[in-house]
Amino acid sequence: MATIDDTARSLERTEQVELAIGGMTCASCANRIERKLNKLDGVSATVNYATEKAKVTFASDIDPVTFVEAVEQAGYTAELPRTDRVDAAAAGGQHDHGDMGDDAVRVLRQRLIVSTALSVPVIAMAMIPALQVRNWQWLSLTLTAPVVVWGAWPFHKAAWTNLRHGTTTMDTLISLGTLAAFGWSLYALFFGTAGDPGMTHAFELTITRSDGAANIYLEAAAGVTTFLLAGRYFEARSKRTAGAALRALLELGAKDVSVLRDGREERIPIEQLTVGDRFVVRPGEKVATDGTVVEGSSAVDASMVTGESVPVEVAPGDQVVGATVNAGGRLVVEATRVGADTQLAQMARLVEDAQNGKAKAQRLADRISGIFVPIVIALSVATFGFWIGTGGGTTAAFTAAVSVLIIACPCALGLATPTALMVGTGRGAQLGILIKGPEVLETTRQVDTIVLDKTGTVTTGRMTLVEVHAADGVDDAELLRLAGALEHASEHPIARAIAVGAAERVGDLPAVEDFANVEGLGVQGIVDGGDGTSHAVLVGRPRLLEEWSQHLTPELASAMDDAASLGRTAVAVGWDGAARGVLVVADAVKPTSAEAIRELRELGLTPVLLTGDNATVARAIAEEVGIDPGPDTVIAEVMPADKVDVVTRLQSQGRSVAMVGDGVNDAAALAQADLGLAMGTGTDVAIEASDLTLVRGDLRVAAIAIRLSRRTLRTIKGNLFWAFAYNVAALPLAAAGLLNPMLAGAAMAFSSVFVVSNSLRLRRFR
């Protein structure tokens, strides 16, 4: 009984670890590692091919080293994280991993460049009889050998790993096809008649039975290798940034901090900060970690973390979050959470979990290859057996079997996705859209709901002067000139919005004397009136004016109330003994947002507004841009973690969700959504966590991005269909021994040209 209890307790005490996986070449590799890990007792694992990570949940009495051993037994590499993931990342662990990714891409690029340089003359000589000089076939062999052996090494290595574990992938077919073509060419050159001086390949498209002893397939071996290396290189380049969202998020935090020790300030690295330490935050500096204000008052810009567009006023006793920016006065903060416990670190984990939890988008070609590859190999073996059995002779049997492998070798298939993706992403870049990779496109087709973050997406994300209410007898220009001049001397974000708005409308602002900041209420000072006079001006809360017996008129009080009801911020202005006006600032709606939402509706998407702001502000903005202001389509007052929950809840209702955002607080939700679109005017974290980046801060580009993605996906599917159609149509001819090698080469070249031409049509996308 005790044993059963112990087992139950150990199962209850589960832990999680994340492994960095190396050596995966396609989604079937991820499936194989996942199956291997899940066979271990007390282990539940998911492996993500896109992020190259395995997330393992296990009973606490299991040594994580066994997971590394299991992955290595499957033929791949695995690394355990450092003890504290967040600290490791801050110390550069994440960065090291990024460098490793750069090395892999660099090696692939070298292979591609060298293979291309060697393959072009080989293909040209095989296809153009005029270039077939005496002994050209031996020159072809010299150029092809390094391509097939060194250039195609990643494919051979993966195929060997697959063979040792009794499985096949596209790598198996590529390796077999290129080696068979190269091996048969060696046989024809050394033991057949292909090596005779003066041998030529006539360029004829006829179906004739041949023993193959005079035919070489070097152009097929070199060309296939080079085309597929190109596809692999472009894929690796898009995958390289998988971990960058987390690095960008962690880099938001402060690097060092001024700690108070024995009444003196001492600058120390952020890693040395402990709970209970008191530290100083000057205007413009980042708050080092989560804590409680113990001295001073200020406005803190928390938009990077909370999405709240209006800066938050803080005073002693208020909580502040690490990585937010102190926009006003000097603060002394007592640290309450450090390292992995901070809100920033928790958001980093949210992004990571959402990335790893995303459904593995297995590429179309890989899905089909699971069935296609074993069939082709079986067909090749059966062809060889049939010819031997019917007395056709070993040479003819081998020629037919090799022809099956060569014509099935997925040259056009290797080009189908990368070429459409290259042209589609290139056209996207011209239109201000960056597409991360092929798996992104698959989700654009099914998306039916689009969640829009308010701040920085539907709105400008910065405070703007939107209304000017002058008292009777007061000129608007005079009101703006005096208030703008006084606010120009302040560092407060609302003051900056008024100063910028005033300068845009009335030009240069006059000088200010005796400027003073009245804590929590506003500012006061003497402003030059321009006609030899000067005015004692007050700008701030109505209470500040009331202290100087300057009471708001009913009209001005009504303007203040109207602004508050719309969630806007209003400040009162008075001078020379009377209240003179009210200025209203708000996070203004972008002029293109309403048109963008209409276009998204035309694409069949339901827009949902999501914001950290209050419900009043959210509903007002929704009505302005054409979103239904109901509870299902306007979701307000949400914290960063809740944004992920909102997306998850919509997904649980059977919806396919796209998310558009721009802030750090949106990063986890962007990663969780089926399709994440980040505004390029936003933070690096949001951009890295998204699938599509909209370079311009224009929401209309989201509709264009979805249309372009859908068109690119249709092109990829068309390419894949034709690439397979050529293979399938030619396989019976190859098996029958009727495939002239030049016809095979021409068919392969034509299928490739067709795929590329079809992809190039995307350049005309409007």
Side-chain angles (χ1 to χ4, degrees), residues 83-107:
T83 315
D84 186 323
R85 175 168 57 213
V86 173
D87 291 348
Q94 292 283 344
H95 192 261
D96 295 343
H97 189 63
D99 289 344
M100 279 157 49
D102 289 349
D103 288 342
V105 173
R106 195 160 50 245
V107 169

Side-chain angles (χ1 to χ4, degrees), residues 268-310:
I268 61 168
I270 190 70
E271 293 82 19
Q272 294 176 17
L273 192 67
T274 58
V275 173
D277 279 345
R278 292 192 173 193
F279 58 92
V280 177
V281 190
R282 291 182 178 78
E285 285 187 341
K286 289 178 181 175
V287 177
T289 193
D290 298 0
T292 306
V293 177
V294 289
E295 277 179 42
S297 61
S298 179
V300 173
D301 181 359
S303 60
M304 298 281 276
V305 176
T306 65
E308 175 69 58
S309 54
V310 180

Side-chain angles (χ1 to χ4, degrees), residues 128-204:
I128 305 169
L131 297 178
Q132 294 172 5
V133 297
R134 188 176 173 84
N135 290 322
W136 69 275
Q137 67 271 45
W138 296 100
L139 175 59
S140 284
L141 175 65
T142 307
L143 295 172
T144 304
V147 178
V148 173
V149 177
W150 176 77
W153 176 247
F155 306 117
H156 302 322
K157 186 181 175 188
W160 174 244
T161 302
N162 295 333
L163 181 65
R164 279 179 26 232
H165 295 91
T167 56
T168 59
T169 62
M170 204 56 96
D171 289 312
T172 311
L173 197 54
I174 296 163
S175 181
L176 269 178
T178 51
L179 289 176
F182 186 67
W184 184 254
S185 301
L186 288 177
Y187 167 81
L189 285 168
F190 286 100
F191 302 105
T193 56
D196 296 348
M199 184 281 276
T200 58
H201 266 177
F203 190 78
E204 52 186 35

Side-chain angles (χ1 to χ4, degrees), residues 406-430:
I406 287 170
I407 198 63
C409 203
C411 173
L413 197 62
L415 284 170
T417 300
T419 53
L421 197 66
M422 270 191 290
V423 180
T425 51
R427 182 68 187 127
Q430 291 172 341

